[in-house]
């Protein structure tokens, strides 16, 4: 799983930075709705719904970069990423961390702050990797 997180970080950190300058108000609202869905799923102890909200949050950012090559690069990783998200989303502590990290990412994106978006996504990737090493 470490290699998957490594390549994911290489891609998604840059994507968050790029998306900070491209995000539309509708996309930012959609990100907020996915964060709300993650919070709700966590409160209900629903790991599958949490994984879906997590996936959707990241997909909005990737799609929002408006780069078909980015999407083509991520496509082969899709199955492995979904399986990893399902596993990590079953752990309440990892859902709590994801909620916090997604909130920071969204705050940076709403501000249109490229450096903060990059840092927030990097923090999220590192936290997820640390949690995975600890709990799996």
């Amino acid at each position: 799983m470490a290699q998957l997180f490594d390549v994911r970080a290489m891609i998604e950190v840059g994507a968050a930075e790029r998306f900070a300058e491209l995000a539309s108000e509708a996309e930012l609202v959609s990100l907020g709705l996915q964060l709300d869905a993650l919070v709700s799923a966590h409160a209900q102890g629903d790991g599958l719904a949490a994984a879906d909200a997590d996936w959707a949050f990241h997909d909005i950012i990737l799609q929002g970069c408006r780069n078909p090559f980015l999407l083509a690069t991520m496509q082969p990783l899709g199955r492995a990423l979904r399986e990893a998200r399902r596993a990590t989303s079953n752990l309440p502590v990892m859902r709590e961390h994801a909620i916090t990290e997604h909130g920071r990412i969204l705050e940076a994106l709403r501000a249109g702050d490229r450096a903060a978006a990059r840092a927030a996504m990097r923090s999220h990737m590192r936290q997820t990797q640390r949690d995975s090493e600890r709990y799996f």
Side-chain angles (χ1 to χ4, degrees), residues 33-39 41 48-60 85 102:
L33 292 173
Q34 292 309 319
L35 179 54
D36 291 345
L38 179 56
V39 170
L48 186 57
D52 289 344
D54 187 345
W55 179 271
F57 185 92
H58 288 271
D59 192 54
I60 290 165
R85 275 200 178 94
H102 283 200

Side-chain angles (χ1 to χ4, degrees), residues 4-75:
L4 178 62
F5 288 123
D6 192 37
V7 73
R8 181 180 172 206
M10 288 179 206
I11 296 167
E12 291 201 51
V13 169
E17 180 180 17
R18 179 76 172 129
F19 186 65
E21 66 186 1
L22 297 174
S24 69
E25 185 59 34
E27 288 166 325
L28 294 172
V29 168
S30 293
L31 282 174
L33 292 173
Q34 292 309 319
L35 179 54
D36 291 345
L38 179 56
V39 170
S40 177
H42 174 60
Q44 297 171 23
D46 188 343
L48 186 57
D52 289 344
D54 187 345
W55 179 271
F57 185 92
H58 288 271
D59 192 54
I60 290 165
I61 293 169
L62 293 169
Q63 295 280 342
C65 288
R66 297 160 182 74
N67 185 328
F69 296 103
L70 173 63
L71 300 176
T73 300
M74 289 298 289
Q75 185 182 20

Side-chain angles (χ1 to χ4, degrees), residues 86-97:
R86 286 187 185 123
T88 59
S89 294
N90 277 321
L91 296 174
V93 68
M94 290 190 75
R95 291 194 305 263
E96 290 169 7
H97 291 159

Side-chain angles (χ1 to χ4, degrees), residues 107-122:
E107 182 180 327
L109 292 171
R110 283 180 174 152
D113 187 331
R114 292 178 61 188
R118 181 178 186 82
M121 185 63 80
R122 183 178 309 284

